[in-house]
Amino acid sequence: LVSSLFENNANSGFAPPLNKVELPPETYDVDGFFDSLIYLAREVYRVPEWVHHTLVTLRMLLKNTVEGYLESYLEYKVAQVTQEHRVVSLVHLLRDVLFFDTDPPRTDEQKKQRFEEALNGFIDYIPSYVASVVGSRKTVEGCKFLVDIFQKPKLNKQLTYVMLDIMIMELFPELSEEPSSPKTPRP
């Protein structure tokens, strides 16, 4: 009834205290929107067990459908954004920010105010039924954690490099091909 492998299987009251074995931290294979949603719910917002189990069940039923819809929706939105007149506008905005930015650096007070505005906007964006299931305190903590992540310059720089690398590989797929070995002439 009681062993160190199965612990107290029969839930008997005479189980000797066992030494707790420290387990390694869990790792997740996150692949797609649904897995990202489950990861955020579990690790960032610390949802109750029943919500996690419901999301995992829905994942089994709806993952392919939801991700297919989101993929087509994103393709549609990217096609809208990459129209010629919009790309020209984005290039001009980028040029102005990089080369003609004459604004003085923000003070710590301005940074704090912008952080609070972003956090409040993010919290307001979360639907009220989600906040009631997760809990208002956990919702605020999770949102604060996510907004705080994007305030780290080194992480933002790394994220920008990764996105730039992906964009270059999409624009120039020949760069990702393996270089072929030089052919030696036959005698």
Side-chain angles (χ1 to χ4, degrees):
L1 291 177
V2 178
S3 78
S4 61
L5 178 62
F6 299 109
E7 295 187 16
N8 189 357
N9 242 2
N11 201 19
S12 62
F14 60 85
L18 299 173
N19 294 336
K20 288 287 183 183
V21 176
E22 191 144 334
L23 298 174
E26 290 185 58
T27 59
Y28 299 98
D29 290 329
V30 179
D31 178 36
F33 169 77
F34 233 96
D35 290 342
S36 301
L37 177 68
I38 293 171
Y39 180 82
L40 285 173
R42 182 77 176 166
E43 297 299 322
V44 175
Y45 288 100
R46 308 274 185 216
V47 296
E49 286 285 322
W50 69 269
V51 174
H52 178 254
H53 293 307
T54 303
L55 288 172
V56 170
T57 303
L58 289 173
R59 178 190 182 275
M60 289 185 241
L61 297 172
L62 301 173
K63 179 177 175 30
N64 292 336
T65 305
V66 169
E67 289 185 2
Y69 169 75
L70 286 174
E71 186 176 328
S72 64
Y73 182 73
L74 280 175
E75 284 178 13
Y76 169 72
K77 285 299 185 181
V78 167
Q80 280 185 329
V81 170
T82 56
Q83 293 174 354
E84 185 178 341
H85 67 282
R86 292 185 187 225
V87 172
V88 169
S89 173
L90 290 173
V91 168
H92 286 295
L93 287 172
L94 182 64
R95 178 203 61 194
D96 293 345
V97 166
L98 292 177
F99 301 112
F100 303 113
D101 188 18
T102 58
D103 294 338
R106 291 184 187 93
T107 64
D108 288 339
E109 183 62 34
Q110 290 172 325
K111 289 178 185 177
K112 185 177 178 181
Q113 181 183 6
R114 288 179 63 133
F115 177 83
E116 292 298 325
E117 288 175 9
L119 179 62
N120 291 334
F122 189 28
I123 292 170
D124 290 343
Y125 187 75
I126 303 289
S128 60
Y129 62 88
V130 172
S132 65
V133 168
V134 173
S136 60
R137 183 181 58 81
K138 289 181 182 177
T139 301
V140 170
E141 288 173 2
C143 290
K144 187 173 184 177
F145 176 74
L146 290 174
V147 171
D148 193 43
I149 285 175
F150 289 107
Q151 304 302 313
K152 310 286 187 216
K154 286 185 179 180
L155 291 177
N156 285 339
K157 186 177 182 180
Q158 185 65 30
L159 180 64
T160 303
Y161 286 148
V162 168
M163 290 173 55
L164 183 62
D165 189 41
I166 291 170
M167 187 176 72
I168 288 173
M169 289 302 160
E170 288 291 321
L171 291 173
F172 306 104
E174 63 272 7
L175 294 176
S176 64
E177 294 176 5
E178 294 286 324
S180 59
S181 60
K183 295 182 180 179
T184 57
R186 293 186 182 181

